[in-house]
Amino acid sequence: MAIKTIDILNVLIFQRQWRKNNGDCKRGEIQSGDKISDVFHLDFCDGINVIIGENGVGKTSLLKMIYAATQWSIKQTNQGKTKRLQQFFSNSISGDEVLKNSDSKEGYCYFRVSDGKHKFEYSLSHQGIFNSKEWFGLNIQSVFIPTTEMLSHSEGFLALYEKYNMPFDGTQVDIIVNASLPETREIPQNMRGILEKISAVIDGEVILENDNFFVLKKDGRKVDFSLEAEGLRKLGLLWKLIRNGLLEKGTILLWDEPEANLNPELYPLVVDILVELQKNGVQMFIATHSYNFAKYLEIRREKREDVLFHNLYRATSEMPEILKDGFHDENQHSDEIYSQTAYKMDELEPNYILQADSKLLDAVYQQSMKEIEQRIAARNENNG
């Protein structure tokens, strides 16, 4: 089962304005009397959805909304946790009020996730969930990999978390739980190749003993997980999730900044693994700041529909002619979050991670020209 769409109104950074209805209701808008609300809306592909954008545009929050919705669909999920969905965003907040957009607390605030047939709508305004009966029991299996590496903190973590108010959100707790699950007895044939690729890089496999994770090296050495390089720990975590049967056909992987602390030379390997998982029926949502990582996903895919790019950005006065959902919109409000979706990176504008790479190339070029000019000046002085 795949997630098809998300709609967000006045939650966290995502905000929309009410305006008079002129008779035309565009995609991503809901109608209410003589006014319509321009809702933040995204359509997803069944393969790999890459979320890009500068800091503070809601990439991680978007992933957490999708994850919260999928976790609510599972009958076995701890109801004490899912009744307080704000725990997926932060363990330090006690109510939905904090999740409302600061400028729109009196307006309607919600996010809605859909698989195309069923809808999960979490209303912060009503402090409740709409369509819960049709959603609960769909059992949409998902895994969220947070930016923070968590397996090094596993010893006694869950017991301490239950007893004390520790500063970790639900996604960080869940990844330890998922990595600690028993391994599947049978490894699907299509997953063995992926495990072998990861094992070759980490030089072994990941094991769990007495709440501690280790890398059991091929020569028999047992290395504490915390002593491995963090980039290799990311691959080790991926190995454990696959070995535990959590990334099989029909599951969803949400990964926040997979490139963080990862040596760029490993980008192609990780991308190849993700593409292989996609071919095996895993839907993915990847938030990244790396142009190179995102571009590898574009060039390594087999079909263009396998990878879809979603660019989140703020409207500013310096960008009066920004494309929004495929059409020019002169009504964009400064500092609100908008989006563009495309199958190729160079079709996105403004593309901040591409701009950052371009600025670096410009700086390198200018430095090179300066050095050439200095050498020419020095040679002329010596010849003179």
Side-chain angles (χ1 to χ4, degrees), residues 194-203 235-236 238-239 242 273:
I194 299 176
L195 290 175
E196 289 172 0
K197 286 182 179 180
I198 299 175
S199 182
V201 176
I202 65 175
D203 190 33
L235 286 168
L238 199 57
W239 187 94
I242 294 171
I273 291 170

Side-chain angles (χ1 to χ4, degrees), residues 109-370:
C109 308
Y110 79 95
F111 68 88
R112 180 193 301 138
V113 176
S114 173
D115 66 353
K117 295 181 180 179
H118 315 88
K119 296 177 181 178
F120 169 92
E121 182 173 324
Y122 185 44
S123 171
L124 280 67
S125 301
H126 298 87
Q127 296 184 333
I129 296 172
F130 296 161
N131 307 307
S132 59
K133 290 184 179 179
E134 67 174 69
W135 189 262
F136 184 65
L138 291 178
N139 295 322
I140 305 173
Q141 303 296 319
S142 64
V143 175
F144 189 110
I145 302 180
T147 305
T148 305
E149 191 279 307
M150 293 300 297
L151 297 197
S152 299
H153 310 288
S154 61
E155 184 178 8
F157 178 90
L158 297 178
L160 289 171
Y161 181 81
E162 291 293 329
K163 187 174 181 179
Y164 301 104
N165 186 26
M166 298 176 68
F168 296 96
D169 66 49
T171 65
Q172 295 169 317
V173 177
D174 285 358
I175 195 61
I176 293 180
V177 173
N178 286 326
S180 302
L181 292 174
E183 296 180 352
T184 56
R185 294 183 179 181
E186 296 271 342
I187 304 174
Q189 183 63 40
N190 52 18
M191 292 294 176
R192 293 178 184 174
I194 299 176
L195 290 175
E196 289 172 0
K197 286 182 179 180
I198 299 175
S199 182
V201 176
I202 65 175
D203 190 33
E205 58 185 46
V206 181
I207 61 173
L208 174 65
E209 292 182 358
N210 300 321
D211 283 351
N212 274 323
F213 287 92
F214 300 89
V215 177
L216 182 61
K217 299 293 185 178
K218 293 179 180 179
D219 61 7
R221 290 179 298 120
K222 192 168 62 174
V223 179
D224 191 282
F225 203 73
S226 63
L227 298 179
E228 290 280 35
E230 188 160 346
L232 297 183
R233 279 183 257 165
K234 286 199 167 190
L235 286 168
L237 170 61
L238 199 57
W239 187 94
K240 199 71 175 72
L241 295 174
I242 294 171
R243 188 64 184 83
N244 291 0
L246 296 173
L247 294 177
E248 298 181 355
K249 183 176 181 180
T251 60
I252 296 174
L253 171 62
L254 304 104
W255 198 346
D256 196 6
E257 297 184 29
E259 78 281 0
N261 298 309
L262 189 68
N263 191 314
E265 70 179 8
L266 292 176
Y267 287 2
L269 170 65
V270 175
V271 165
D272 285 347
I273 291 170
L274 296 180
V275 170
E276 190 65 27
L277 288 172
Q278 175 269 318
K279 287 166 56 179
N280 291 327
V282 179
Q283 186 186 28
M284 274 166 274
F285 297 87
I286 308 294
T288 181
H289 287 287
S290 170
Y291 173 78
N292 290 344
F293 190 88
K295 194 65 177 179
Y296 268 120
L297 284 165
E298 179 183 322
I299 64 177
R300 296 287 178 115
R301 64 187 174 188
E302 293 189 358
K303 298 181 295 185
R304 84 184 190 102
E305 292 79 12
D306 293 341
V307 179
L308 189 61
F309 297 95
H310 308 280
N311 182 32
L312 308 190
Y313 63 91
R314 286 187 178 89
T316 67
S317 58
E318 289 76 23
M319 299 185 293
E321 293 294 329
I322 299 172
L323 274 175
K324 170 177 170 288
D325 290 335
F327 56 84
H328 288 285
D329 187 348
E330 61 185 12
N331 296 315
Q332 293 190 66
H333 297 270
S334 178
D335 290 330
E336 289 187 12
I337 305 301
Y338 294 89
S339 67
Q340 290 177 314
T341 294
Y343 285 107
K344 297 184 66 176
M345 289 279 288
D346 57 11
E347 294 175 354
L348 299 172
E349 180 66 32
N351 187 331
Y352 287 100
I353 59 174
L354 177 57
Q355 290 176 12
D357 270 32
S358 297
K359 288 179 180 179
L360 174 60
L361 292 175
D362 290 343
V364 170
Y365 173 77
Q366 292 172 6
Q367 180 66 27
S368 298
M369 293 302 297
K370 182 179 179 180

